[in-house]
């Protein structure tokens, strides 16, 4: 539920009348009430399912991209041009490409396990912050439009 900062200040003044309150942030905030904490097993199960789903989805996306650009044919032709002979079943070019793809993903996402390579936020963290900000803005604007926001009486 969106709550106006003026309502928050009013509630503080009702408890502490002599207190001076200075608002430095947003004019509206979102208040959420949760009746109980989710079960730890369900949290782990949801996280595990999501990890498997993301892994399979990412693998499928990479395979679909490689299929679209006919990467096996590309490697065959490139190997023939550079080495002058037919490519073996597994070539150094494919091994280097696979290692490079994995290293590139690790550097792009700035994580290897719990270790971060730099202190910069990862692209996912940046996008999640933007998404959270957009969701909060939409909730506040929709609540104000419907007259559901809590404001000074």
């Amino acid at each position: 539920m969106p709550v106006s900062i003026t309502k928050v200040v009013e509630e503080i003044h009702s408890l502490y009348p002599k207190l001076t309150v200075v608002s430095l942030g947003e004019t509206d905030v979102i208040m959420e009430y949760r009746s109980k904490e989710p079960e730890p097993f369900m949290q782990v199960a949801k996280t595990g399912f999501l990890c498997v789903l993301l892994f399979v989805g990412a693998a499928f996306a990479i395979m679909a991209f490689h299929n679209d650009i006919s990467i096996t044919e590309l490697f065959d032709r490139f190997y023939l041009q550079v080495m002058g002979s037919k490519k073996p079943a597994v070539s150094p070019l494919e091994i280097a490409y696979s290692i490079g793809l994995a290293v590139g993903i690790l550097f792009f996402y700035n994580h290897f396990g719990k270790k971060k390579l730099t202190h910069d936020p990862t692209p996912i963290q940046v996008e999640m912050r933007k998404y959270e900000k957009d969701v909060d803005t939409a909730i506040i604007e929709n609540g104000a439009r419907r007259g559901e926001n809590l404001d000074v009486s």
Side-chain angles (χ1 to χ4, degrees):
M1 165 188 301
V3 179
S4 172
I5 193 66
T6 54
K7 181 66 175 173
V8 173
V9 171
E10 181 184 62
E11 292 297 321
I12 292 172
H13 276 193
S14 70
L15 295 173
Y16 306 100
K18 293 183 180 182
L19 188 69
T20 302
V21 179
V22 179
S23 171
L24 300 176
E26 298 290 328
T27 57
D28 292 307
V29 295
I30 298 174
M31 189 179 345
E32 182 178 345
Y33 174 74
R34 295 183 185 176
S35 59
K36 65 177 184 171
E37 289 294 316
E39 295 179 31
F41 172 75
M42 284 305 293
Q43 290 295 96
V44 171
K46 287 179 189 177
T47 302
F49 175 73
L50 188 62
C51 287
V52 169
L53 186 68
L54 288 173
F55 178 80
V56 170
F60 183 77
I62 292 170
M63 289 186 299
F65 170 74
H66 286 164
N67 191 36
D68 283 349
I69 63 170
S70 302
I71 199 147
T72 53
E73 185 180 323
L74 176 73
F75 283 156
D76 289 344
R77 279 197 255 153
F78 186 75
Y79 193 87
L80 184 63
Q81 282 182 333
V82 172
M83 302 304 279
S85 63
K86 190 174 179 185
K87 182 180 82 60
V90 177
S91 70
L93 178 67
E94 292 165 329
I95 294 169
Y97 177 78
S98 299
I99 292 170
L101 183 64
V103 170
I105 290 170
L106 289 175
F107 275 106
F108 179 77
Y109 287 107
N110 192 18
H111 270 93
F112 187 76
K114 291 187 177 186
K115 300 266 185 196
K116 282 184 79 173
L117 303 174
T118 66
H119 294 295
D120 299 336
T122 65
I124 291 175
Q125 289 171 327
V126 171
E127 287 302 316
M128 285 303 295
R129 292 262 158 67
K130 282 192 217 174
Y131 173 76
E132 288 169 355
K133 196 180 243 184
D134 289 347
V135 167
D136 290 347
T137 302
I139 290 171
I140 289 170
E141 288 175 359
N142 286 343
R145 240 183 275 157
R146 289 190 300 247
E148 294 175 352
N149 59 335
L150 212 59
D151 207 346
V152 178
S153 324

